[in-house]
Amino acid sequence: MVNYNNTKTGQLTRKASTPAIHELVLRHLAYVEGLENIPRTGPVILVANHASYMDHFVTKTLSESVRAGRVSFPTKSEAFESFLSRVWHESMDCYPVNRNAPGKEVFQRAHEALLRDDALVLYPEGTRNTGKGLLPFKTGAFRIALENKVPVVPIGLTGLAEVLPKGARLPRRHLLSVAIGKPLERASSGDTRSIARSMRDDAYDAIGTLKDRARHATPSDCGHALETIVELAQQIVSENLTPEGTLSAEVIHRVELLLKIADKTSQRRLDLRVQQARLDGFRAMNAPTATGAFIRTALVHRKASKLSDLHSSNDFAAYLAGRSALMLPQWFGGGAERARIHFQRATEREGNVASQAYVGLAESLAISGNTPAALQAYQHAASSIAETDPRGSVRKRKIKNAIAALTSAHEGEL
C-alpha cells in the first residue's frame, strides 16, 4: 500500500495544510511559556496531556516555531480507514496505531521518526481526557525515549477541550494556554523498565504542574514569557546566520512563526482586558442617570461574558459577568439565574476572587428563593477569604450580616 507521506500528493497536502494549522492555533493561543526548553536540533519526544484533537495542531505549531524538521504523531488506526483521511494523516506525518493491541510496530515507527531527527509527540494518558485531572500514564513513551537515547520534554496544555471538544468538527470561541518544562532527568541506575516507570512518574508530576501554571498564568508570567520568546527569536537568528550574514528561507519562516506567537499572546493580556471591563463597571455604578447606568452595565456584561467564554480559567471575568447580570433584567440577558451560572463558573475556577464569587452566588440563589443553598454559599465565602486580604475583616462582617438577614427573613416565612 502506498504511503503518501513522501509522494508529491503528500508534499502538496503538507504545503497547503501546515499554514492553515498555524493560523488556527494562533487564533486561539492566549499564553505560552517554555519554548526555549524544546531542543532546537536532534530528535526529541514531546509528552503532553491529551484532551482534544487540537493537541496535535498546537504541539506541531510550537515545535515548528523553534526547530527544523518534521513533527510525527502516532494516531488511532481508525483515522486511516477512509481514503481521504488516510492521505491527509500520512501526509501530515501521522502513523497508525492499534490502541487495543499495540505491537512492536509502534516502537519501530517511533524509532524511524527519531532517526530522522523528528520531534515525536506522545500522549502518555493513551486517550483523550476531558476531566480536570490526569489519567494514569503509561510507560511506552519513556521506554521509547530510553531505547533511542533521546530527551523527553513535558508539556502542559489547558483550554483545548473547550476550543475543540470531542466530537466537534469546528473550533469554538475559546482560548488555550501552554507551559513547556525542561527535559526530564533520568535515573543513573536501574533497568530500563524501572527507569521508564520513574520517568513516567516524573512526567505525571511535571505535566500536572505545567497544566496548572498554564491555566493560572499571572501578568508577571505573561510579561516574562513574552520577553523570553523575543530573546529566543534573536538566538535562533544568531545560530543560523551564514558567513555572509544571511538566513535561509526555512529559518526566516520559523522565526516569523515564533514572532507571530509573541505578537498574538501579547495582544491577549487577559488581565488588562478584565481590569478595563472592571473599570467600566465602576463607571456604570457612577453613571448620573438610570439609562446611562443600564447601557454601561449591558456593555460590561457583554464584554465580561465574552472574556469568560474565551478564557475558561479566568475567575474574575466570570465574576464580573455575574455581577453585571444581577444588575440587568432577564429579558436583556441578565437576571438571577444567568448570574448564578457565571458565579458558579467563577467559584469552580478557584482563583483570587473565590470569596466574592461565593457572595455573588449566594445573592443570586437568595433572589431565586433557594435560601439553604444561599446560606451554604455564604459560608463558603467566609471560609474562602485569604488571610492576606486587606479587606478581609470588612468582608467577614458583611457576610455575617447577610447570613443573619437571610436567616431572619427565611424564619419569618416559615
Side-chain angles (χ1 to χ4, degrees), residues 134-296:
L134 297 172
L135 296 176
F137 279 14
K138 303 179 187 301
T139 60
F142 311 101
R143 289 163 53 199
I144 291 172
L146 292 169
E147 290 178 7
N148 291 276
K149 297 181 173 59
V150 298
V152 178
V153 175
I155 300 177
L157 306 170
T158 185
L160 284 93
E162 289 80 20
V163 173
L164 191 65
K166 190 172 183 178
R169 292 183 176 274
L170 295 174
R172 309 288 173 82
R173 193 189 67 176
H174 287 280
L175 296 177
L176 62 94
S177 298
V178 185
I180 304 167
K182 295 182 181 297
L184 298 175
E185 295 184 0
R186 302 179 187 180
S188 57
S189 60
D191 57 50
T192 299
R193 288 189 177 274
S194 65
I195 296 175
R197 286 194 293 268
S198 176
M199 291 181 70
R200 174 200 62 192
D201 296 341
D202 290 344
Y204 186 92
D205 293 339
I207 291 175
T209 300
L210 290 165
K211 185 179 176 183
D212 190 62
R213 275 189 61 82
R215 182 177 174 84
H216 298 108
T218 66
S220 176
D221 293 333
C222 295
H224 179 71
L226 181 60
E227 291 175 3
T228 303
I229 293 174
V230 174
E231 291 173 3
L232 180 58
Q234 294 172 339
Q235 291 176 14
I236 293 175
V237 169
S238 299
E239 292 167 358
N240 291 276
L241 278 175
T242 67
E244 293 77 24
T246 62
L247 288 176
S248 68
E250 184 277 324
V251 175
I252 292 173
H253 177 74
R254 198 189 329 157
V255 175
E256 181 182 37
L257 177 58
L258 186 59
L259 292 179
K260 283 183 178 180
I261 290 172
D263 181 51
K264 288 294 185 182
T265 54
S266 68
Q267 293 175 20
R268 292 175 177 144
R269 287 292 299 271
L270 191 67
D271 55 299
L272 174 62
R273 297 171 69 185
V274 169
Q275 290 305 317
Q276 288 171 336
R278 184 188 189 193
L279 189 61
D280 290 340
F282 285 122
R283 288 197 182 99
M285 293 169 66
N286 294 334
T289 65
T291 302
F294 181 85
I295 293 173
R296 287 181 180 272

Side-chain angles (χ1 to χ4, degrees), residues 54 71 99 129 148 150 167 193 198 214 229 245 259 279 294 315 319 330 350 355 397-398:
M54 186 82 175
V71 185
R99 293 181 296 175
N129 168 31
N148 291 276
V150 298
R193 288 189 177 274
S198 176
I229 293 174
L259 292 179
L279 189 61
F294 181 85
D315 61 323
Y319 172 74
Q330 185 175 351
E350 301 176 344
S355 178
R397 186 168 62 252
K398 287 184 174 181

Side-chain angles (χ1 to χ4, degrees), residues 47 79 84 105 127 147 151 174 179 187 220 233 317 331 367 392 411:
V47 292
L84 290 178
E105 186 181 3
T127 187
E147 290 178 7
H174 287 280
S220 176
W331 56 265
I367 293 171
E411 290 175 348

